[in-house]
Amino acid sequence: MNVSTTQRRTALFFGLAACALAMPAWSQNYPSKPIKFVSNFPAGGPADFLARSVGEFITTQTKQPVVVENKPGAGGNIGADFVAKSPADGYTVLFGIDTTFTVNPYIYKSMAFKPADLRPIMVMVSSGLLVGAHPSTGFKTLKDLIAQGKSKGLNFSSAGSGSPGHLAAEIFMDAAKIKIQHIPYKGNAPAVAAVVAGEVDAGVLATPGMLPHVKAGKVNALAVTSRQRSRSAPDIPTVAEVGLKDLELEVLYVAMVPAATPEPVVQLLQKAFSDALKRPDTQTQLAGMDLFYEGLTGQDAAKRLTDQSQRYDRVVKSTGMKVD
């Protein structure tokens, strides 16, 4: 069987099977017991919402309960390690974001699991981040922020070392050639609160958490980092639209299972995920959270994650980004 270079690369990095397995007889009864969805970030965020939404759909379809358990910590490593070491039978599924697999291997001195220990069921949705500044800075545009970053320097809050906001700060420093002091907080909410209170100059943080403060006049919105404008605030330009495409950054929300999980079980889960996320009510909720449906599976999902990983490898090497 001929396997392309792309297939080999993605298979090595994300444990993706090169070919489908024959359907075993036992999988015809899957699921025959409760399924555990593990979110490796705190409750209340998009990953948690996705886990509960898909879980409710699977329970309705199969009459088997789906239990959602949050195992946050170490940039998602704790929950990912738990799933990687679980039986490869489709009864333990990880919900998280790509940086656990595309950034953490380069910034943590050691990890208890390898990205290849897990394989993607689906890259479910993506979201950009919002570049927001405290009004006292006087920044009205992204170029205002960059100008001060070059002359005096800035401080940015993030949801923690290795988080998307930390990564964004490093990308901004590298691509725009500005000086930023990264100040990590314990989660997105306190990082946003730091911008609102003026404890920091700015932050590149999850759009849904920033928008209420933008609308209240407590944060100046400068740009979004996604390829397309926010559906919740379409008047805010993208970084590409203001001539800074190198600052583009999207967070990918992924579902993973242990690498040895049988292909037929993975395919059953992929179909369930797709059906759950395409429901009109779920699509409305995703739009409200500024999440864009991706629905990438198989080689497409693995390639998207590998491309992200290769980009962030270059960023980490260029900036010296590390866990504080």
Side-chain angles (χ1 to χ4, degrees):
M1 177 178 180
N2 293 325
V3 181
S4 70
T5 301
T6 297
Q7 285 176 318
R8 285 195 297 270
R9 184 176 71 240
T10 54
L12 284 171
F13 199 84
F14 289 105
L16 187 65
C19 60
L21 304 176
M23 173 149 329
W26 64 265
S27 71
Q28 294 173 3
N29 297 319
Y30 175 86
S32 59
K33 62 180 183 180
I35 300 173
K36 180 180 288 186
F37 283 177
V38 176
S39 174
N40 58 349
F41 285 89
D48 190 63
F49 163 76
L50 291 164
R52 295 181 190 282
S53 181
V54 174
E56 289 171 3
F57 177 81
I58 290 177
T59 296
T60 299
Q61 295 294 309
T62 67
K63 309 307 178 187
Q64 288 293 342
V66 176
V67 179
V68 178
E69 185 173 339
N70 296 91
K71 289 185 176 292
N77 287 348
I78 291 173
D81 180 55
F82 176 84
V83 174
K85 290 179 170 57
S86 296
D89 55 10
Y91 287 97
T92 308
V93 181
L94 177 71
F95 280 71
I97 60 176
D98 69 283
T99 54
T100 302
F101 311 97
T102 60
V103 177
N104 289 5
Y106 307 120
I107 63 174
Y108 281 83
K109 290 181 180 179
S110 64
M111 290 170 54
F113 71 98
K114 301 184 296 294
D117 293 338
L118 293 150
R119 61 174 295 184
I121 295 173
M122 181 179 286
V123 174
M124 297 173 285
V125 300
S126 64
S127 69
L129 302 174
L130 188 147
V131 188
H134 190 266
S136 66
T137 62
F139 303 152
K140 300 297 183 182
T141 68
L142 190 56
K143 292 186 177 180
D144 292 339
L145 179 148
I146 290 172
Q148 178 162 315
K150 288 182 175 180
S151 62
K152 298 180 180 178
L154 301 162
N155 49 49
F156 274 28
S157 64
S158 85
S161 295
S163 68
H166 180 196
L167 179 65
E170 299 289 348
I171 289 173
F172 270 52
M173 281 196 288
D174 187 51
K177 309 305 178 189
I178 61 178
K179 295 173 286 186
I180 294 175
Q181 174 66 43
H182 165 238
I183 302 176
Y185 287 77
K186 294 182 178 179
N188 195 73
V192 171
V195 178
V196 174
E199 293 175 10
V200 295
D201 298 312
V204 189
L205 301 164
T207 304
M210 293 281 265
L211 278 180
H213 305 292
V214 170
K215 293 175 180 177
K218 297 178 180 179
V219 171
N220 290 350
L222 309 180
V224 292
T225 67
S226 50
R227 290 169 293 174
Q228 49 198 320
R229 289 196 177 200
S230 164
R231 290 180 290 187
S232 302
D235 55 322
I236 303 172
T238 68
V239 289
E241 288 174 333
V242 296
L244 297 163
K245 186 172 175 59
D246 285 348
L247 304 183
E248 206 167 75
L249 172 70
E250 291 181 318
V251 180
L252 306 180
Y253 289 85
V254 299
M256 299 274 199
V257 287
T261 302
E263 182 69 18
V265 173
V266 172
Q267 291 178 1
L268 287 170
L269 287 169
Q270 287 171 344
K271 177 67 165 57
F273 276 50
S274 179
D275 290 346
L277 295 175
K278 286 181 178 177
R279 291 179 298 175
D281 61 327
T282 304
Q283 285 289 310
T284 299
Q285 290 174 296
L286 293 178
M289 299 175 73
D290 220 42
L291 300 172
F292 296 90
Y293 178 73
E294 297 278 347
L296 300 178
T297 61
Q299 295 289 347
D300 292 334
K303 183 179 185 304
R304 182 75 181 277
L305 292 168
T306 299
D307 289 346
Q308 293 272 88
S309 177
Q310 291 174 342
R311 180 194 182 192
Y312 298 153
D313 182 18
R314 293 191 294 270
V315 170
V316 171
K317 287 176 179 175
S318 175
T319 64
M321 178 180 173
K322 61 183 180 180
V323 176
D324 295 331

